[in-house]
Structure formats: structure tokens, C-alpha cells
Amino acid sequence: MTPSNPHLAPVDVPDAAALARVQQLCDLTEPYVSGPAEDELFAAAMAETNAWHRDRSPFFRGLYDSERPDTPYDAPLIHANFFKRHEVLSIPMDDVDLHLTSSGTTGQKSQMFFDRWTIRSAQRMVARIFDHNGWITPDQEVNYLLYSYEPARDLKLGTSFTDNYLCDFAPARQVEYALRNTGNGHEFDPFGSIAALRRFAEDDVPVRILGFPAFLWFTLERMSAMGLPPLRLPEGSLIILGGGWKGHTDRQIGKHELYARVTEQLGVPSERIRDTFGSVEHCVPYIECAHHNLHAPVWSRVFIRCTRTLEPLPYGEKGYLHLVSPYITSVPAQSVVMGDLASLHPGEECGCELTTPWFTIHGRAGVSRNRSCAVAAAELMKGMS
């Protein structure tokens, strides 16, 4: 543990009596511990969260009290797209500590509202996973290249918030953004990204690259097209990717091919390259293990649902990704069905030291006009190749 890091500090639930088991579950310090005791605690915490939202949200009360099929932990399913059209809170607006959206400057956006407990609890989960992997280094400066949006006034995108938050785990010597704020939106800057990488390769501190994998791939392709020799980023460099390839699936490559190119052109070993999965509708972090699989942490449970019937599917079959966690008290989003197609696998099939189940994302389900922040970001790449 790294107790000096403020993001590992204790945080209290809004009501200690009503949410005692939620507090106990979210206070667990080992992110991938599993067993009967943890399962029992999780179920009790879900019961508390369901009661919390039923008492405070007329929408959830109606959903909870209506006839419905059995669902895990007695929590009704809510599709993530619901939050693109509705603002449903279980707290007074005065208690909202943070407001984030899921999409770019146009298109439908999920509007998510967080009280202090909810956002701090989610941040502490990230910090514990980083601590578990040895990535909190308060005494080691690093250089950052962020493949995300440069901060701008009124920017509320969840990806931008997350990537800037990840900069808190190691002190910054320099920070460079690949998606530059032009004063009238954002513009991808491939040449600035290449210049930053070349400069950082000559420095004596590790580099941390965070953000959209599509932009990192585009940078590597541009370096190759320019005939630039491979770089070797300093030892200890780390790459944490997130946001997917939405909007550019025609150009998407497999993650192992991407990781191989990163190692070839930047000198970062595969085990120091990790993809992530997350969303503003469900802020529990899913970060790849050293074998590049997304294991469920102790604070969540993962299910796969049939795209036709929403019935649960067994290990290995593809369906909607269904994520469950009792951490959220601000919005009744404790049981969210995502628009992503995924498959779930038992922990022992991974081969790493983690024992919790892991999932693979197979893409988005169906065709939709909804645009995520990754879609908006990918549009900045048009005309750049």
C-alpha cells in the first residue's frame, strides 16, 4: 500500500447506518480478492443500494416494484442509453459534486451526476488497482503524453477527467496533449505528439502515455511514414489506453498487433502496456492484467446477456455486457446493461495470478446514431492520413 497518496484516503458513505455494507465493501483494499465472504458482502451491499435508490428515486421505485424477471441481486436492468435521454438522480441537485458526459460536442450524451462519495469511491478503486500494480510512484517524476482532450472551459467529458486524474499517481515533469484546444474545439496534433515522444526519449525519467489507442496507432503510423527510426522510451515507462476505436473500426487493428508496434517503435515492453474499460454510467475501473485480460475487481460483478432475450449467458458466449456494483449513490445505475458485445471467462483461463472472472470486448452491438467521446475524437483524425 501507498498510504501517503491522497486518493487512497478513507471516504465516508452518505449515510453510515443505511449503507454500512456498501462502506465495508468499498473499503476492501485488495482489488481482486474473491471468495464466499466477499460474495456475501457484495450481496448485502447491493441490497442496501437498492433500498437507497428505491427510497429516493420515484423512477427506480416504480421499476423496482414492477413485475420483472429475476435479476442478479434483485437489481432491475437499466440500459446505458437510458441516461442519454433522462436525468434521474437519487440525491438533491445541491449534493452533486461532479457532472460528466459521455460524448463529444454533438450527438446524444449520457448525463451522469456524482455526489462526493460516488466519485471519490470510484477514484479510490482506480488508485487501489494502480497501487496493486506498483504504478503509484510519488518519488518518481514522469513525462506525460495524453491522447485525450486538452482542458478547456466547460469541458465535462469523462475521458478527459479520467486521464487528468491518472496524472496524480506520479508527479509530472512535462505534460503534452495530443488533442489540442484550438479555442473552437479540439484538433489532433500528430507532429506535436511525435516531437514530444522524441524529446521524452532523450530525457532521464519514464514516460506515461494515456488515452485513446487510435491516436497512438496513428502516431506510430505517421512516424513510420516519415522514416523516423524507433525510439526507446526510458525504463519504467507505462502506457494505459482507454476509449476504444469507436468510429474507426475500419482502421482498427488487434490490440496485440498494436502492442507489438509500440514495443518495436517506442521500446515499451508488452507487460507495461494495458488497455482499460470504463464509462461514465459505470465508473468501476477495469484494467488489463499482465496477460491483457479485463478482470472484474472485488467491487463489481460482470454478466453477459442475450441480445434477443436479455437472459444470462454462460462463459464464453457473446452478448450484452452487464455490469453491477453497489458503489453509486447519486444515480440508480447500480445494474447497467452496456451497448458493448462481450464474453465472460473464468479467472483460471487467464493464466495470471488473478482469480476473478475476466471479459473480452467484441465491439458495439447494432447500428446507432449515438456518438461516444471516442467517436468524436476519432472524427478529428479524418483527413490526417
Side-chain angles (χ1 to χ4, degrees), residues 9-294:
V11 57
D12 295 328
V13 291
D15 186 322
L19 299 168
R21 306 306 291 275
V22 174
Q23 179 81 66
Q24 188 178 350
L25 177 73
C26 293
D27 281 346
L28 293 176
T29 58
E30 293 298 327
Y32 300 105
V33 63
S34 62
E38 288 75 26
D39 290 340
E40 181 180 348
L41 177 59
F42 189 91
M46 282 298 300
E48 289 182 344
T49 293
N50 289 338
W52 171 271
H53 291 297
R54 185 179 181 279
D55 291 344
R56 290 161 176 80
S57 168
F59 158 76
F60 184 77
R61 183 182 311 117
L63 192 63
Y64 189 85
D65 291 344
S66 65
E67 291 187 12
R68 63 183 192 279
D70 290 338
T71 54
Y73 308 104
D74 205 29
L77 309 179
I78 301 178
H79 197 282
N81 280 348
F82 174 84
F83 299 105
K84 296 182 184 297
R85 298 176 176 85
H86 305 278
E87 296 180 4
V88 180
L89 280 77
S90 300
I91 57 172
M93 189 60 75
D94 288 346
D95 290 345
V96 172
D97 192 63
L98 181 68
H99 170 214
L100 295 176
T101 67
S102 64
S103 72
T105 54
T106 63
Q108 294 172 316
K109 306 176 182 182
S110 287
Q111 304 284 337
M112 294 300 291
F113 302 86
F114 303 93
D115 54 7
R116 182 179 183 277
W117 156 261
T118 298
I119 194 62
R120 281 284 294 110
S121 180
Q123 289 176 323
R124 190 169 57 161
M125 294 176 192
V126 177
R128 283 177 171 153
I129 293 175
F130 266 60
D131 192 43
H132 172 85
N133 285 287
W135 298 338
I136 297 181
T137 58
D139 299 322
Q140 172 64 69
E141 280 190 332
V142 303
N143 288 317
Y144 288 96
L145 175 56
L146 304 186
Y147 282 97
S148 58
Y149 298 94
E150 185 176 14
R153 187 167 59 90
D154 298 329
L155 182 68
K156 296 180 181 294
L157 294 177
T159 50
S160 181
F161 176 83
T162 298
D163 288 339
N164 283 287
Y165 169 71
L166 296 183
C167 293
D168 288 349
F169 298 127
R173 177 173 291 185
Q174 296 183 60
V175 179
E176 296 288 346
Y177 287 87
L179 276 62
R180 303 302 305 275
N181 175 22
T182 66
N184 188 31
H186 287 81
E187 183 175 300
F188 178 46
D189 181 11
F191 299 107
S193 300
I194 293 171
L197 288 170
R198 298 180 74 179
R199 186 171 67 252
F200 292 165
E202 298 300 320
D203 207 343
D204 60 353
V205 300
V207 179
R208 292 198 175 186
I209 298 174
L210 313 172
F212 296 116
F215 289 102
L216 174 57
W217 171 249
F218 190 77
T219 301
L220 298 176
E221 287 281 87
R222 183 59 61 92
M223 289 173 62
S224 179
M226 293 170 62
L228 297 178
L231 302 175
R232 181 159 295 278
L233 298 183
E235 185 177 355
S237 292
L238 177 67
I239 298 177
I240 304 292
L241 303 172
W245 292 70
K246 308 177 193 72
H248 264 277
T249 54
D250 58 325
R251 300 171 62 185
Q252 182 173 352
I253 62 169
K255 66 180 181 181
H256 295 292
E257 181 182 352
L258 172 62
Y259 298 168
R261 282 287 294 274
V262 170
T263 300
E264 175 188 346
Q265 291 185 254
L266 301 181
V268 179
S270 176
E271 65 270 15
R272 302 286 293 181
I273 310 167
R274 308 290 180 93
D275 200 4
T276 66
F277 180 88
S279 71
V280 294
E281 299 92 356
H282 178 89
C283 290
V284 176
Y286 300 90
I287 300 177
E288 284 185 345
C289 67
H291 291 190
H292 302 297
N293 291 316
L294 295 162

